[in-house]
Amino acid sequence: MKKLLVLTAFITGLSVQAQTDETATIKSIYTHALTKQQGYEWLRKLTGMGGRLAGSDEATEAVKAFQKVADSLGFTTQLQEVTVPHWVRGPKEAAYYTLNGQRYEVAVRALGGSIATPAEGLTAEVVEITSFEQLDTMTDELEGRIAFYNMPMDPAFINTFFAYGSAVKQRYVGALEASKKGAVGVVARSLSSSINPYPHTGSMTYAGADQQIPACAISTLHAEQLSRDLKANPKLEFFMQMAPRELDSVVSYNLVAEIKGSEKPEEVIVIGGHIDSWDLGTGAHDDGAGCMHSLDAVWLLKELDLLPKRTLRVVFFMNEEFGLNGAKVYAQRSKEEGIDHVIAMESDAGGFTPRGISMVAPDSIITRIRKLRDYLEPYGVHEFSETGAGADISQLKSDDLVMIGLRPDSHRYFEVHHSSQDVLAQVNARELELGSATLAALIYLLDKYDIVAL
Amino acid sequence: MKKLLVLTAFITGLSVQAQTDETATIKSIYTHALTKQQGYEWLRKLTGMGGRLAGSDEATEAVKAFQKVADSLGFTTQLQEVTVPHWVRGPKEAAYYTLNGQRYEVAVRALGGSIATPAEGLTAEVVEITSFEQLDTMTDELEGRIAFYNMPMDPAFINTFFAYGSAVKQRYVGALEASKKGAVGVVARSLSSSINPYPHTGSMTYAGADQQIPACAISTLHAEQLSRDLKANPKLEFFMQMAPRELDSVVSYNLVAEIKGSEKPEEVIVIGGHIDSWDLGTGAHDDGAGCMHSLDAVWLLKELDLLPKRTLRVVFFMNEEFGLNGAKVYAQRSKEEGIDHVIAMESDAGGFTPRGISMVAPDSIITRIRKLRDYLEPYGVHEFSETGAGADISQLKSDDLVMIGLRPDSHRYFEVHHSSQDVLAQVNARELELGSATLAALIYLLDKYDIVAL
């Protein structure tokens, strides 16, 4: 390790003494995070407020509660108005089918944005679809029937986000595509990396559809069961009932909490996550963790007297899940106000042990960031990739913005994501805090070495 | 990555073609593990049999059940007789204290090997001890009192095993040391990395004590509470009651399951974990995961037609927790039979996402193993250290034995370790399987490149 440090010092033109000091500083950040566990305490408070679907009172109350927290910490805060859709789930959803005279209840939840079934429910035969190629070849097979998308996340991906990306189409455009073939409803396999009884919801679109049809997620456990039972009786009738409604859009808020830079206040480092969540759980990982990472990272720097030369902004974006409204408003307002963002960081991949970061930046900056890896390796942060940064900060994209996303261990994430299981009990305090410390250490190093585009 | 592979090929004298083939082979190992999840299914079977305290029927039944599994897979199996102590917990333990007229129940469990309290329980004042230096300065303060060791695991360690190592003394010799000062009982803070209501048991010793006194673990939650309440009333009386007994030692077994090598059958690669566990949970992480990793790794190689040139032995060691009896018997029998172990691998650090390996071997071998890292990095296995290998295989230590321990992510491990929470629900199938695949890939590479001492 010593050899590596000397090598890095040589490359970056720093003295070994400086390296040693920074190594101690970074150690102090991690130690403070693990000892105080402030981010975890905040996450307890946030998740205690319930699910935070955009448009809900809970979402807006959470923003306001954390404005108070940021105020008490000495930030200058503002709430930015964001108009968001207001879809509500309505009464509990139900689904079942009958096979050999026996009725099997299955766990379903409406996809976000879905219309309701008729009040008395919808009953139809089911057609299983295991690929979009298969769907393409269909002529009238779906006419008057329910399309059952059953495309598991591929377990062979090591990073489960890639498996999710490969499977998400069935949820997002499943209803749109099935309606073109005459289907009357959609049951989409939950995007979960394990077989479990919890439906995982998420957004869908009707954009361009002639006919809107109701769509729900079915748990992976019940998707497997339904698939087996369809082989026994391809004519079995499926009943689904759900009553979501789209209400008038409402005004909610982004929280922007700022600490002015001491030497370069006009240059802004923004760090954030999204405060809205799905309604089934309490958004502990998605994206309570990311919001708390962001606030905690700045808190750590402040506590340890390591605030950067540049202005720091923590942003809790409103409504990432249902259309990125908050991110768009933030980008627009920043443009109008002439805010000069030089670095944007996001955490929206859960609160598990950080494994690395992903970056979007000019090559020369990427090279400089990679040289910081020696500082983070002792904390298990090894993987520096160029696979995007984050949905909310992507709205700020420009040629001279350095964008960084935190990349935690992904193996458990899609077991809880968008389901009733995304709750505080699934978050480990040490793992969460290592994420906060990693972001704090990165801000400290990027600012200190002026790793920004010129 | 390509550049790295070419570099490695140059160093090791291999062709780039060979590297590409091996990269594909290793990918196939990970894919097969993640897709089939065979190790996880075996772990379900194993944990379904209950806790497996050495000397219990459950421990012996588990060995026999997995002998049948190994037989069915085509291994040549044997059960090696191991005489093990037979300590039983007895009826449920109880503890409480009274403060301001209110009675507070606290969660305790006898430490492994502890004697019982008097049948009617033991009541005495409590003295909190926060360091062994403090204990050293005590004269008659502990006389007739209960010693309450309250030394938290240091959260600043990134690898929690080091925090455990620094704190374990209070559990292991707490009673021994307190008895020298006249204490009548011991309450030791659970070795847990979080504040939770579950006592974590573990082994202790009376070796050399003039006086044996009963010792229990108290949950971290209740240790914190007791510490606060002792400040309010240093004279509060603590009641503890437990009735463990030491029965006659019994005969149990190591399971040794072997597949003869095709080209170098006289050279043996041994891989194992310990089949015994504490009784409070079902030993899912400690060390069900390690046993299943070992069997699964060999199963993967067999399934994919990648069995090594050398003989492979899977060993489920009996009684790591209470004195390493199985490991000692295995080492002794191997010596008698002239077994030539060239590589010994162990998994006894949980079933979480593998982060790296730790090695004990001659420097030249360490250098060669480090060169294999490029193959494992795509699977998140980065950290190659020289911090020991494993307790069971350490009994085989010799100058020409390459010893390797799997090093999974450690952040959650000590929340469940030795407690009622060490159950299957705490194990994630993907994370477990990555461990099996990592061990399988290592066996494949070590054997293929003859990375053994000459």
Side-chain angles (χ1 to χ4, degrees):
Chain A
M1 188 59 193
K2 201 171 173 191
K3 201 185 286 179
L4 271 179
L5 285 178
V6 172
L7 181 67
T8 311
F10 175 76
I11 292 168
T12 58
L14 302 166
S15 73
V16 174
Q17 181 56 42
Q19 290 277 348
T20 309
D21 290 351
E22 284 136 31
T23 299
T25 299
I26 287 162
K27 177 76 189 161
S28 76
I29 293 172
Y30 280 94
T31 297
H32 207 72
L34 289 168
T35 308
K36 300 292 177 179
Q37 303 194 348
Q38 181 59 66
Y40 186 77
E41 282 312 307
W42 283 327
L43 186 59
R44 188 194 301 280
K45 176 187 174 86
L46 177 67
T47 53
M49 301 179 75
R52 300 173 303 283
L53 199 57
S56 69
D57 291 345
E58 289 82 357
T60 298
E61 279 161 18
V63 170
K64 291 182 175 171
F66 276 87
Q67 181 182 33
K68 283 188 190 153
V69 171
D71 284 339
S72 74
L73 296 172
F75 285 83
T76 305
T77 64
Q78 55 168 309
L79 296 182
Q80 288 182 337
E81 283 195 6
V82 182
T83 302
V84 296
H86 191 195
W87 177 88
V88 294
R89 181 170 299 282
K92 191 163 182 260
E93 298 96 336
Y96 62 83
Y97 60 88
T98 303
L99 183 69
N100 300 331
Q102 174 139 12
R103 178 165 145 167
Y104 296 93
E105 309 281 344
V106 297
V108 299
R109 291 289 181 274
L111 292 181
S114 174
I115 62 165
T117 60
E120 70 279 11
L122 167 70
T123 303
E125 288 181 11
V126 177
V127 178
E128 182 173 357
I129 300 166
T130 56
S131 74
F132 278 94
E133 291 69 27
Q134 178 197 358
L135 179 66
D136 285 344
T137 65
M138 288 183 173
T139 52
D140 62 350
E141 295 93 324
L142 282 178
E143 198 68 50
R145 297 196 173 86
I146 292 171
F148 165 37
Y149 289 95
N150 192 21
M151 306 177 195
M153 282 173 63
D154 183 350
F157 282 100
I158 300 304
N159 184 330
T160 59
F161 281 84
F162 297 135
Y164 176 74
S166 299
V168 72
K169 188 176 167 188
Q170 63 192 312
R171 186 193 79 205
Y172 195 65
V173 300
L176 178 63
E177 296 300 325
S179 69
K180 293 178 189 167
K181 304 273 186 178
V184 294
V186 160
V187 175
R189 183 185 176 104
S190 286
L191 296 168
S192 175
S193 52
S194 73
I195 304 300
N196 60 53
Y198 315 109
H200 297 233
T201 188
S203 61
M204 59 169 289
T205 184
Y206 290 122
D210 292 330
Q211 187 72 32
Q212 297 193 351
I213 59 175
C216 63
I218 184 171
S219 76
T220 49
L221 184 69
H222 291 121
E224 298 274 299
Q225 179 193 310
L226 177 58
S227 177
R228 276 196 304 273
D229 288 346
L230 275 172
K231 287 175 184 65
N233 177 13
K235 296 279 183 193
L236 68 76
E237 297 219 310
F238 192 91
F239 170 84
M240 61 189 274
Q241 187 178 35
M242 53 194 212
R245 283 174 303 153
E246 183 78 41
L247 307 180
D248 290 342
S249 59
V250 301
V251 170
S252 190
Y253 308 94
N254 290 330
L255 169 61
V256 182
E258 184 174 287
I259 296 178
K260 273 269 176 273
S262 52
E263 295 178 32
K264 299 188 174 191
E266 72 289 357
E267 295 187 11
V268 175
I269 299 171
V270 62
I271 178 167
H274 66 85
I275 188 74
D276 65 302
S277 77
W278 286 98
D279 55 327
L280 301 179
T282 57
H285 279 290
D286 183 16
D287 185 27
C291 289
M292 300 307 104
H293 274 154
S294 304
L295 187 62
D296 199 16
V298 176
W299 177 83
L300 287 165
L301 295 172
K302 195 163 181 292
E303 281 272 297
L304 297 169
D305 231 355
L306 298 170
L307 281 172
K309 297 173 274 190
R310 294 169 175 82
T311 292
L312 264 179
R313 278 189 159 197
V314 173
V315 180
F316 289 1
F317 296 97
M318 179 55 72
N319 194 30
E320 187 264 355
E321 300 290 1
F322 247 119
L324 288 168
N325 304 58
K328 288 171 186 167
V329 165
Y330 180 77
Q332 182 60 34
R333 285 282 295 273
S334 296
K335 200 171 171 185
E336 289 161 11
E337 293 170 9
I339 305 287
D340 179 18
H341 291 107
V342 294
I343 299 169
M345 298 171 78
E346 181 166 338
S347 167
D348 186 16
F352 297 97
T353 312
R355 304 297 300 258
I357 58 171
S358 179
M359 309 169 279
V360 177
D363 286 350
S364 59
I365 306 287
I366 297 279
T367 305
R368 296 184 69 195
I369 298 174
R370 286 188 184 280
K371 286 179 186 154
L372 302 177
R373 188 162 62 178
D374 290 344
Y375 291 111
L376 301 179
E377 278 192 329
Y379 307 97
V381 181
H382 298 265
E383 294 160 11
F384 283 40
S385 69
E386 293 171 56
T387 50
D392 282 312
I393 60 172
S394 70
Q395 300 298 314
L396 297 170
K397 188 164 172 33
S398 78
D399 288 345
D400 56 1
L401 177 65
V402 176
M403 297 197 287
I404 295 176
L406 186 70
R407 292 287 173 259
D409 192 289
S410 77
H411 294 293
R412 292 175 184 244
Y413 188 67
F414 290 100
E415 297 201 356
V416 303
H417 179 253
H418 293 190
S419 84
S420 60
Q421 304 304 293
D422 187 9
V423 294
L424 186 67
Q426 299 291 344
V427 179
N428 176 279
R430 288 181 60 83
E431 294 180 359
L432 182 78
E433 293 294 340
L434 289 173
S436 305
T438 299
L439 292 167
L442 273 172
I443 292 172
Y444 167 77
L445 292 166
L446 294 170
D447 178 73
K448 181 164 180 122
Y449 295 120
D450 302 312
I451 303 180
V452 294
L454 297 179
Chain B
M1 190 58 193
K2 201 172 173 192
K3 200 185 288 177
L4 270 179
L5 286 179
V6 173
L7 182 65
T8 311
F10 174 77
I11 293 168
T12 57
L14 301 166
S15 74
V16 173
Q17 182 56 45
Q19 290 279 347
T20 309
D21 289 351
E22 284 136 32
T23 299
T25 298
I26 288 162
K27 177 76 188 160
S28 75
I29 292 172
Y30 280 94
T31 297
H32 207 72
L34 289 168
T35 306
K36 299 293 178 179
Q37 303 195 349
Q38 181 60 66
Y40 187 77
E41 282 312 307
W42 283 327
L43 186 59
R44 189 193 301 280
K45 176 187 174 85
L46 178 67
T47 54
M49 301 180 74
R52 300 175 302 282
L53 198 57
S56 69
D57 290 345
E58 289 83 355
T60 297
E61 280 161 18
V63 170
K64 290 182 175 173
F66 277 86
Q67 182 182 32
K68 284 187 190 155
V69 172
D71 284 339
S72 74
L73 296 172
F75 285 83
T76 305
T77 64
Q78 55 168 307
L79 296 182
Q80 288 182 338
E81 284 195 5
V82 182
T83 302
V84 297
H86 191 196
W87 177 88
V88 294
R89 183 170 297 282
K92 191 164 181 264
E93 298 96 338
Y96 62 82
Y97 60 88
T98 304
L99 182 70
N100 300 330
Q102 175 141 11
R103 177 165 145 166
Y104 296 93
E105 309 281 344
V106 298
V108 299
R109 291 289 180 275
L111 292 180
S114 174
I115 62 165
T117 61
E120 71 281 11
L122 167 70
T123 303
E125 289 180 10
V126 176
V127 178
E128 182 173 357
I129 300 166
T130 57
S131 73
F132 278 94
E133 291 69 28
Q134 178 198 359
L135 179 67
D136 285 344
T137 66
M138 288 182 172
T139 51
D140 63 350
E141 296 93 323
L142 282 179
E143 197 67 51
R145 298 196 173 85
I146 292 172
F148 165 38
Y149 289 95
N150 191 22
M151 307 177 194
M153 281 173 63
D154 183 349
F157 283 100
I158 301 302
N159 184 330
T160 60
F161 281 83
F162 296 134
Y164 177 75
S166 298
V168 71
K169 188 176 167 187
Q170 63 192 309
R171 187 194 79 204
Y172 195 66
V173 300
L176 178 63
E177 295 301 324
S179 69
K180 293 178 189 166
K181 304 275 186 174
V184 293
V186 160
V187 175
R189 183 186 177 103
S190 285
L191 296 169
S192 175
S193 52
S194 74
I195 303 300
N196 61 52
Y198 315 109
H200 297 234
T201 189
S203 61
M204 59 168 288
T205 183
Y206 290 121
D210 292 331
Q211 187 72 31
Q212 298 192 349
I213 60 175
C216 63
I218 184 171
S219 76
T220 50
L221 184 71
H222 292 122
E224 297 275 297
Q225 179 194 310
L226 177 59
S227 178
R228 276 194 305 274
D229 288 346
L230 275 172
K231 286 173 185 68
N233 178 13
K235 295 280 184 193
L236 68 77
E237 298 218 310
F238 192 93
F239 170 83
M240 60 188 275
Q241 187 177 34
M242 52 195 212
R245 284 174 301 153
E246 183 78 42
L247 307 181
D248 290 342
S249 58
V250 299
V251 170
S252 190
Y253 308 94
N254 290 330
L255 169 62
V256 182
E258 184 174 286
I259 296 179
K260 272 270 177 272
S262 53
E263 295 178 30
K264 300 189 173 190
E266 72 289 357
E267 295 188 12
V268 175
I269 300 170
V270 62
I271 179 168
H274 65 85
I275 189 73
D276 64 303
S277 77
W278 287 96
D279 55 327
L280 301 178
T282 57
H285 279 290
D286 184 14
D287 187 25
C291 290
M292 299 309 105
H293 275 155
S294 304
L295 187 60
D296 198 16
V298 176
W299 177 82
L300 287 165
L301 294 173
K302 194 161 180 294
E303 279 274 297
L304 297 168
D305 230 354
L306 298 170
L307 281 173
K309 298 174 274 191
R310 294 169 175 81
T311 292
L312 264 179
R313 277 190 161 197
V314 174
V315 180
F316 290 0
F317 295 97
M318 179 55 72
N319 194 30
E320 187 264 358
E321 300 289 2
F322 247 118
L324 289 169
N325 305 57
K328 288 171 185 165
V329 165
Y330 180 77
Q332 181 61 34
R333 285 282 294 273
S334 295
K335 199 171 170 183
E336 289 161 12
E337 293 169 11
I339 305 287
D340 179 19
H341 291 106
V342 293
I343 299 170
M345 299 171 78
E346 180 166 338
S347 167
D348 186 16
F352 297 98
T353 312
R355 304 297 301 259
I357 58 171
S358 181
M359 309 169 279
V360 178
D363 286 349
S364 59
I365 305 286
I366 297 279
T367 305
R368 296 184 70 196
I369 297 175
R370 285 188 185 279
K371 286 180 187 153
L372 302 177
R373 187 163 61 177
D374 290 345
Y375 291 111
L376 301 178
E377 278 194 328
Y379 307 97
V381 181
H382 298 264
E383 294 160 12
F384 283 41
S385 69
E386 293 171 56
T387 50
D392 282 312
I393 61 172
S394 70
Q395 299 300 315
L396 297 170
K397 189 165 172 29
S398 78
D399 289 344
D400 56 1
L401 178 65
V402 176
M403 296 198 287
I404 294 177
L406 185 70
R407 291 287 172 259
D409 193 288
S410 76
H411 293 295
R412 293 175 182 241
Y413 187 68
F414 290 100
E415 297 202 355
V416 303
H417 179 254
H418 292 191
S419 84
S420 60
Q421 304 304 293
D422 187 8
V423 294
L424 186 68
Q426 300 291 343
V427 179
N428 176 280
R430 288 182 59 84
E431 295 179 0
L432 182 77
E433 292 295 339
L434 289 172
S436 304
T438 299
L439 292 167
L442 273 171
I443 291 172
Y444 167 75
L445 292 165
L446 293 170
D447 178 73
K448 182 167 179 114
Y449 295 120
D450 303 312
I451 303 181
V452 296
L454 297 179

